[in-house]
Amino acid sequence: MPRLLLVEDEPAIADTLVYVLENECHVVSHAMTGMDALAMQSAAAHDLAILDVGLPDMTGFDLCRKLREKWPIPVLFLTARGGELDRVLGLEIGGDDYVTKPFSPREVAARVKAILRRTGAGAVSLPEVVAGALVVDDVEKRIRCGAERIDLTAHEYRMAAVLISRPGRVFTREQLLEHAWDDPGAVTDRTVDTHVKSLRAKLREACAGAEEMIVTRRGLGYSYSPQGE
Ligand code: CA
């Protein structure tokens, strides 16, 4: 699944985009500020960045430049009309495409697909996600701690892969069931808790401290935090 970095400080716009893009089978990390976006990209690289031009701590143009200093990431700008648009069109910035506000989320999804197709990033998912001490090896379908493979059941692997690939994001039990079970209706929320328990036990065995990276968010669900809580 292609991984997108969405940087947009208006929650209503961001929520709609996340919803539509996730429905299109993208994995979306959402940041409200440029600094958060840079941290997220350092933690796990993305295939494409969608950058609002007007961010609270820097412009989307500055963020684009900072990202590109380290990563060859394609960029789609979300711009207001006027001066912002002129600069994008002047191609001073080197974005791959842009949409102007107000836009339809479908339009954004279509542009994302086109860019991924063009850049080839959507054609193959990255073979590995490295987040903190743990590595998701999507080719072998294994979680590793450094070079050491951790022996997980299929459900434990799928659940761990979902959590580790999106550090910091909270998943509800329902969402984990959706991602990791073929027939989520046949099992209950308790099943998730049981599997998290066995996952933590195996992590503890293979990788000291890693079990604490699977964080319980009371009343919400679970998240993966490479720094522990
Ligand atoms: Ca904005």
Side-chain angles (χ1 to χ4, degrees):
M1 290 200 289
R3 278 187 299 274
L4 312 180
L5 177 61
L6 169 65
V7 192
E8 166 63 69
D9 59 318
E10 281 177 63
I13 295 179
D15 289 351
T16 317
L17 282 179
V18 169
Y19 179 80
V20 169
L21 291 167
E22 287 188 342
N23 270 348
E24 301 270 331
C25 286
H26 301 299
V27 176
V28 186
S29 323
H30 171 222
M32 307 272 276
T33 66
M35 290 312 289
D36 283 354
L38 288 167
M40 281 180 184
Q41 174 69 8
S42 300
H46 298 79
D47 300 308
L48 182 149
I50 304 171
L51 308 182
D52 177 32
V53 173
L55 294 170
D57 57 341
M58 62 182 83
T59 69
F61 302 138
D62 294 335
L63 177 56
C64 176
R65 234 176 335 253
K66 284 184 201 291
L67 286 168
R68 292 268 178 83
E69 279 168 14
K70 284 198 189 166
W71 298 278
I73 188 170
V75 168
L76 170 67
F77 282 114
L78 310 176
T79 77
R81 291 175 191 282
E84 283 183 5
L85 182 55
D86 291 344
R87 288 187 66 193
V88 176
L89 291 177
L91 298 177
E92 295 168 52
I93 314 298
D96 293 86
D97 203 352
Y98 69 94
V99 285
T100 52
K101 294 179 176 181
F103 49 74
S104 94
R106 300 260 151 231
E107 176 65 20
V108 175
R111 300 293 178 94
V112 164
K113 254 190 207 157
I115 297 174
L116 288 174
R117 205 165 37 231
R118 228 161 48 221
T119 58
V124 279
S125 64
L126 289 185
E128 285 194 351
V129 178
V130 182
L134 298 179
V135 180
V136 181
D137 182 336
D138 192 48
V139 177
E140 289 195 21
K141 305 290 179 203
R142 285 176 185 282
I143 306 293
R144 298 199 318 266
C145 174
E148 187 179 349
R149 291 166 170 181
I150 306 173
D151 194 16
L152 301 177
T153 67
H155 286 134
E156 287 163 359
Y157 166 76
R158 286 161 74 178
M159 221 173 54
V162 167
L163 288 165
I164 295 166
S165 303
R166 277 145 272 188
R169 173 162 166 190
V170 179
F171 289 87
T172 64
R173 291 170 174 77
E174 292 76 17
Q175 286 171 328
L176 289 173
L177 283 175
E178 287 283 316
H179 282 292
W181 273 262
D182 294 322
D183 185 10
V187 288
T188 67
D189 290 3
R190 288 279 303 148
T191 311
V192 172
D193 297 337
T194 314
H195 280 76
V196 165
K197 202 174 161 192
S198 58
L199 173 62
R200 279 181 177 143
K202 289 178 182 179
L203 289 178
R204 187 179 305 125
E205 196 116 308
C207 200
E211 78 276 10
E212 283 166 21
M213 297 176 193
I214 308 290
V215 177
T216 305
R217 302 291 304 274
R218 203 169 291 281
L220 297 172
Y222 295 100
S223 69
Y224 174 71
S225 164
Q227 286 85 36
E229 200 170 23

